[in-house]
Amino acid sequence: MTLSLRFRAAIVSLALLGVFLGVWHLATRGGGATATMSPEYAKLMGLTATQGKSAMPGPLDVGAKLWEHLKRPFYDNGPNDKGLGIQLAYSIGRVGLGYLIAVIVAIPLGFMIGMSPLISKALDPFIQVLKPISPLAWMPLALYTIKDSSISAIFVIFICSVWPMLLNTAFGVAGVRKEWINVARTLEVGTVRRAFTVILPAAAPTILTGMRISIGIAWLVIVAAEMLVGGTGIGYFVWNEWNNLSITNVIIAILLIGLVGMLLDQVLARFTRMVTFPE
Amino acid sequence: MTDKFISIEGIARRYPGAGGGTTTVFQDFWLSMARGEFGCVIGHSGCGKTTVLNILAGLDEPSEGTVIVDGQGIEGTSLDRAVIFQSHALLPWRTVLGNVAYAVSSKWRKWDRARVKAHAQKFIDLVGLTGSEHKHPSELSGGMKQRVGIARALSITPKIMLMDEPFSALDALTRGTLQDEVRRICLETGQTTFMITHDVDEAIFLADKIFLMTNGPGAVLAEIVENPLPKERGRIDLHRHPYYYALRNHIVDFLVSRSKSFAAEVTDHDPRHVPTVRPGLGEPVIVSPPRVVEPNPAQSVAR
Ligand SMILES: Nc1ncnc2c1ncn2[C@@H]1O[C@H](COP(=O)(O)OP(=O)(O)O)[C@@H](O)[C@H]1O
Ligand SMILES: [Mg+2]
C-alpha cells in the first residue's frame, strides 16, 4: 500500500510539473500585441515590443541553455564568465568552510553550556543579543576588519550557522537522561569518557538536527552574501546575469540553488538518521 | 549484629522546603547488613527508600551521617556497588553486548576487546539472553531489558548489588521468572544485595531480612523482620510453608496500619536499635534489640 501511495504521488508530481511547464510555455510563447512606438524607443524595449515576444524565457529556452551549461560546467573565461560548476563550487566551498568552523566552535561550546549551568547563565545574554542579528548585518564590519571579501563571506556563513548548532547542542547535552549519567557514574567513568560515551551519543540526534537547520540557513545566506561581496559564487552569478538581463541564466541559477540546497539537507538528514536511536 | 558489611550510620536527608524551611525525608537512620545477606526495604511511596538506596550507591549524599561499606566510609559512586535501576537505564544506542561490555571495560580498562567481550558474554548467558547479544534495547521486552540490567550489574562482580524496585514495571509472569533467577544467582555467588520493593511476596521470597519503613516525611526504620522460611524455598510453594502467613500478615499489617500510626504510637523508638522480629507460628517473636530486656520473649510486637 505504501508503494502504491508513493507511486501515485509520483504520478501527481509529474502531472503538476507538466501543467506548470505547459502554462509557463503558453504564457511566454509570445504573439502578444506589438505596440506602436517610435523605432528608437522600440529598439530600447527589445524583442518584447518589436516582435511581441515575452522577455520571460520559456521552458524550452531555459532547457536549451541548461543543456549548454551542463555540457561545459567548468569553463573559465575570465572574472565575469565562468562555468556554473565553478560558481557552485565556490559557493559550496565557502559554505563548507564557514560551516566547518561553526561546527568546531559550536559543539564544544554547546557542550560546556549544556553541562555547566553557570556558563549557561553567564553566556545567555550574549547569545540572546547576538542570535537575532541578521548575518548580513555583520558584512560591513567583516569587510572592514578582515579586508578580504571571500573570507568575509565565510565569516558571515560562520556567524549564521553557529547559533542553531550552539543552542541545539546545549539543549541536547543538558537534556541527557539523568539515569544514563547515573549509569556512567556508578561505573566510575571519568568526565571525558562520559562525554564521549554517554552524553555525545545521547545528544547526537539533537545536535545533528541543529546542524541540519544550520546548513539550510548557510545556503540561504551564501547567495545573499555573494551578491554583496561579488567576484565569484552562485550568488554573484545570479546578480551578474541580472545585470546582463539574462533571465534564462537567472532561472537556471535559481533551479540549481534549490537542487544543491536539497542535496545538502538530504546529506544532513542521512547523518541524523544514522545517529538516531529508537528508545 | 556480628558482621556489619554495610553500615548506614545515622544518615539524614533534607530538602529545602516550601517557605524557606527544610523538609526532612528521614533522619537518624541506622541500618546494617552482613556479608552475603539479601535485604529488602518495604515502605509506602515517598518514604525515602530510593533516597536511602541512592545514598548507598553514592549517587546522592546524606545531609548528615555516613555509610560504611566493608570497613570504609563511602565517597561517591563505586564499581564495588552496582545499581540495577527501576527503569533499567540501558543505553539505547548500544546493543545488549555493548551495554554489558561498557560496564566490563569501565571496570577493567586495560582488557582488550576480545577479553571484554568474552567476559560480557558469560553474564549475558547467565541471565539467559544468549542469542540476543546484538539486539538493541528497543527490540527487547521489558523483562529482557531488566535481564540486561542485571547482567550489566553482575558483570563487574560488585561487592554489593543495589536494586530499586527492579521488577515493578514487569508483568507477573516475567517478574516471577526474574525473581527465581535473581535468587539463584545471589545464592550461587553469595552476593550481598539490597533491594527496594513494593511487593510483599517478592520480599518474602527473596529476602533474608525485610526492613519496614514508616511513611514519610520523617520516615523511620520501624522494624527488621527476619525471614523464618528455609533457605531452600520455591516461589511456587512458598505459601504452603507453615510460617508463610504469619510472616505475610505481619508485613501487610504493618503496611496497612502501623506504617501510618507508628510515629504516634511508639514514643520510645530507638533508631540505633531497631527491634528485629521473627514471625512464626503464633505471635511474632522479638529476637532483638540487644539493649532492651524483654520480660516475655514471646511478647507481641504490636504495642
Ligand atoms: N529533589 C527533591 N527535592 C525535594 N524533595 C525531594 C526531592 N527528591 C525527593 N524528594 C522527596 O523525598 C521523599 C522520598 O523520595 P524517594 O526516596 O524517591 O521515595 P520512595 O523511593 O520511597 O518512593 C519524597 O517525599 C520526595 O518528595
Ligand atoms: Mg522510589
Side-chain angles (χ1 to χ4, degrees):
Chain A
M1 202 62 212
T2 44
L3 201 94
S4 91
L5 177 69
R6 270 172 83 170
F7 187 67
R8 283 180 299 171
I11 288 178
V12 176
S13 295
L14 280 175
L16 283 173
L17 181 66
V19 169
F20 170 70
L21 289 176
V23 170
W24 181 11
H25 179 71
L26 289 177
T28 54
R29 193 174 37 158
T34 37
T36 42
M37 56 183 80
S38 69
E40 283 82 30
Y41 187 56
K43 218 183 259 171
L44 280 174
M45 292 299 286
L47 294 175
T48 319
T50 50
Q51 294 170 13
K53 173 132 179 58
S54 169
M56 194 69 185
L60 295 176
D61 306 319
V62 172
K65 191 84 184 169
L66 181 63
W67 180 241
E68 238 174 78
H69 280 298
L70 288 180
K71 274 195 296 192
R72 314 172 49 215
F74 297 113
Y75 72 91
D76 188 353
N77 297 340
N80 279 338
D81 191 11
K82 291 188 205 305
L84 266 177
I86 293 186
Q87 304 288 30
L88 277 175
Y90 271 112
S91 298
I92 293 172
R94 284 183 191 128
V95 164
L97 205 58
Y99 184 78
L100 193 71
I101 299 171
V103 170
I104 293 168
V105 171
I107 291 180
L109 196 61
F111 250 78
M112 277 160 57
I113 295 173
M115 288 171 93
S116 153
L118 175 74
I119 296 180
S120 167
K121 280 217 161 28
L123 291 185
D124 190 57
F126 297 101
I127 294 174
Q128 294 300 333
V129 170
L130 291 174
K131 187 174 58 131
I133 298 173
S134 163
L136 295 175
W138 292 99
M139 189 58 102
L141 206 59
L143 285 169
Y144 177 73
T145 45
I146 302 172
K147 296 191 175 62
D148 179 292
S149 63
S150 199
I151 298 178
S152 296
I154 292 168
F155 171 77
V156 167
I157 293 303
F158 161 77
I159 206 87
C160 76
S161 44
V162 84
W163 307 116
M165 282 194 249
L166 185 69
L167 295 177
N168 266 45
T169 305
F171 181 74
V173 167
V176 174
R177 292 250 286 274
K178 189 93 192 283
E179 55 185 54
W180 296 336
I181 306 276
N182 280 347
V183 167
R185 283 176 66 199
T186 57
L187 294 174
E188 291 187 56
V189 173
T191 318
V192 176
R193 187 161 177 254
R194 191 195 306 174
F196 280 100
T197 57
V198 177
I199 298 172
L200 188 61
T206 319
I207 297 174
L208 261 292
T209 304
M211 291 174 68
R212 190 173 165 192
I213 297 170
S214 282
I215 199 80
I217 295 177
W219 190 245
L220 287 179
V221 167
I222 191 66
V223 174
E226 285 171 346
M227 283 181 176
L228 277 176
V229 298
T232 48
I234 193 73
Y236 170 70
F237 178 84
V238 171
W239 199 246
N240 200 30
E241 295 304 318
W242 161 240
N243 287 333
N244 295 341
L245 277 180
S246 170
I247 304 295
T248 314
N249 274 335
V250 170
I251 293 176
I252 287 171
I254 288 173
L255 189 67
L256 286 175
I257 289 169
L259 286 174
V260 172
M262 184 186 78
L263 274 178
L264 291 175
D265 187 63
Q266 290 300 309
V267 169
L268 266 294
R270 172 152 298 190
F271 284 139
T272 310
R273 247 175 281 133
M274 271 164 54
V275 300
T276 301
F277 47 83
E279 282 202 41
Chain B
M1 305 285 156
T2 43
D3 171 25
K4 284 190 178 182
F5 185 56
I6 301 174
S7 180
I8 295 176
E9 307 195 340
I11 60 168
R13 187 70 178 92
R14 302 178 213 283
Y15 286 108
T22 56
T23 324
T24 302
V25 181
F26 50 77
Q27 60 183 348
D28 205 15
F29 189 95
W30 297 71
L31 186 155
S32 64
M33 274 175 60
R35 195 184 293 265
E37 244 177 354
F38 198 119
C40 262
V41 180
I42 285 194
H44 285 285
S45 256
C47 71
K49 305 180 296 293
T50 297
T51 311
V52 171
L53 184 131
N54 282 349
I55 289 172
L56 197 46
L59 290 168
D60 198 354
E61 276 178 22
S63 313
E64 286 161 25
T66 49
V67 176
I68 293 168
V69 170
D70 205 9
Q72 266 201 326
I74 64 165
E75 261 171 56
T77 55
S78 160
L79 282 156
D80 289 339
R81 284 167 272 129
V83 183
I84 295 175
F85 298 87
Q86 178 174 10
S87 54
H88 56 76
L90 300 180
L91 306 178
W93 55 89
R94 284 174 177 267
T95 59
V96 168
L97 183 65
N99 268 284
V100 180
Y102 185 61
V104 175
S105 61
S106 300
K107 171 135 186 181
W108 295 283
R109 310 219 163 152
K110 297 210 171 64
W111 283 13
D112 58 40
R113 236 167 226 276
R115 194 162 175 204
V116 167
K117 194 179 159 203
H119 186 86
Q121 185 68 50
K122 208 166 78 192
F123 286 88
I124 291 171
D125 296 344
L126 183 73
V127 297
L129 281 180
T130 319
S132 301
E133 297 84 357
H134 300 294
K135 289 193 176 142
H136 281 86
S138 59
E139 301 166 78
L140 303 177
S141 68
M144 289 164 93
K145 283 183 202 162
Q146 203 48 282
R147 279 169 199 262
V148 182
I150 295 169
R152 176 172 66 186
L154 288 170
S155 71
I156 55 171
T157 57
K159 288 182 183 169
I160 301 170
M161 277 231 286
L162 303 169
M163 308 200 238
D164 190 350
E165 304 190 22
F167 310 134
S168 62
L170 306 177
D171 62 276
L173 212 63
T174 315
R175 194 185 313 150
T177 330
L178 279 184
Q179 286 166 355
D180 281 337
E181 289 195 9
V182 162
R183 179 153 177 85
R184 173 179 62 84
I185 291 164
C186 287
L187 285 180
E188 272 171 19
T189 57
Q191 186 73 54
T192 311
T193 312
F194 182 85
M195 174 165 142
I196 295 171
T197 180
H198 261 115
D199 181 343
V200 176
D201 283 316
E202 180 169 284
I204 293 175
F205 176 53
L206 292 174
D208 302 317
K209 275 184 186 163
I210 299 157
F211 303 98
L212 302 179
M213 275 178 83
T214 61
N215 294 358
V220 297
L221 176 57
E223 206 173 273
I224 301 165
V225 179
E226 264 187 16
N227 195 334
L229 302 184
K231 270 268 181 199
E232 307 75 33
R233 50 184 181 250
R235 194 168 46 82
I236 308 300
D237 53 6
L238 204 61
H239 61 284
R240 292 192 210 284
H241 196 275
Y243 292 171
Y244 171 79
Y245 280 104
L247 176 62
R248 189 170 203 285
N249 291 345
H250 185 78
I251 299 170
V252 172
D253 278 345
F254 177 84
L255 287 177
V256 170
S257 55
R258 288 173 53 220
S259 60
K260 275 193 279 296
S261 57
F262 188 86
E265 285 175 6
V266 183
T267 44
D268 62 342
H269 185 68
D270 178 0
R272 277 196 80 156
H273 302 275
V274 175
T276 305
V277 302
R278 191 182 167 89
L281 292 171
E283 291 295 328
V285 179
I286 296 185
V287 290
S288 107
R291 284 200 322 173
V292 185
V293 183
E294 297 286 348
N296 175 5
Q299 184 195 345
S300 160
V301 160
R303 283 177 264 198

